[in-house]
Amino acid sequence: MIYAVWVPLLMPFVAVPAARRLADALSPVRAVRLLASTAVGLALFSTLALVLLVVPGATRLSAVAAVGELVKPLADAVPAVAVPLAAVAVALLAACATAVARTARRHWVELHRAGVPADASGGELAVLRDSRPDAYALPGLPGSPGRIVVTTGMLRALDPAERDALLAHERAHLAGHHHFFLAAAELAALCHPALRSLRAPMGYALERCADEAAAAAVGDRRVAARAIGRAALAARAAEAPEARPRVALAATAGPVPRRVEALLGRATPRPRVGRAAAAALLACLALSGAAALDATHDLHSSIEVAQGESPQR
């Protein structure tokens, strides 16, 4: 177990460089799905590895041995190494659990508190009377639809076709439940520091998903690209708007020039890079999972041997 258990803890450092190439090299929908699966899977496997590191040292505590009905501690667990290692793993698990619980609670509270300003019109589209250009998708609670918030300043900055494209972009965020993907990436990042680098590619891929949906809705990729570019320029040129709810998703977020180039077909397609990066990520995920399962089996066998039982094969 001593070797296999480290693989899930080290694999995120190998997977992240490959993951960064996905957003541009694969279709946005595939990139989002693969990034989300990678982030969640690697976070779960690395957490399991920490749990496995706790067990050898914990079996040397009388209280743990009594609860587990263990006659002897693990024979291959050196006390000078196992006990401090278990203490470090427990501290890391406690920190991860606390951070995940706080972040999950914060997301839930923000979904409850996120409301449309009182001076906005009703319906799916909430028009806020504000001269500062801004627009964003505000997700609702589970089972309830979200809303699109746009200021009068943003509506004035765009022509009718561009407005349709912008609203279609925000509508795609709501229809695709994109805030759940961002929340999953954020929670995964709390379980392993290397996974923090996946949040930016995930955000970019989600914006690209909404960009493509907007282009399909208006039937013109140039109009969609122009709408996103003009909306971003208008928002940045104006006085900063009031702070949006952190759960909101906006068309003006992320690297807008890259998104515009992708919509206009000016980005260089790299299918081979995308396939290679996807294969590398899937390999990392499979190797991490296999190593975690192997370490779990070895630990179980070690416990049986320590108690004088024959390990099950």
Side-chain angles (χ1 to χ4, degrees), residues 162-286:
E162 293 166 353
R163 292 174 200 161
D164 291 340
L166 180 66
L167 297 180
H169 176 103
E170 304 300 352
R171 193 173 292 112
H173 279 316
L174 297 178
H177 303 289
H178 290 172
H179 59 290
F180 286 129
F181 290 98
L182 286 177
E186 183 174 357
L187 293 176
L190 298 174
C191 299
H192 196 290
L195 297 178
R196 296 172 186 170
S197 298
L198 294 183
R199 288 182 291 187
M202 174 68 80
Y204 174 72
L206 289 172
E207 291 302 325
R208 285 283 299 117
C209 285
D211 291 345
E212 293 296 330
V218 299
D220 191 329
R221 300 180 69 83
R222 289 185 175 274
V223 170
R226 192 169 67 244
I228 292 165
R230 291 186 64 182
L233 288 174
R236 291 174 185 176
E239 180 184 353
E242 295 181 4
R244 303 185 192 117
R246 284 190 288 187
V247 293
L249 297 102
T252 56
V256 174
R258 281 172 60 196
R259 292 165 51 199
V260 170
E261 287 183 356
L263 277 171
L264 296 177
R266 296 174 183 169
T268 303
R270 297 180 296 171
R272 291 184 180 179
V273 173
R275 287 193 293 267
L281 276 186
L282 291 174
C284 290
L285 197 56

Side-chain angles (χ1 to χ4, degrees), residues 2 12-13 33 57 64 94 105 109 122 153 158 161 193 217 240 243 262 277 313:
I2 191 62
F13 294 102
R33 291 174 180 173
V64 174
R105 182 180 181 278
V109 170
L158 306 177
R313 296 293 181 183

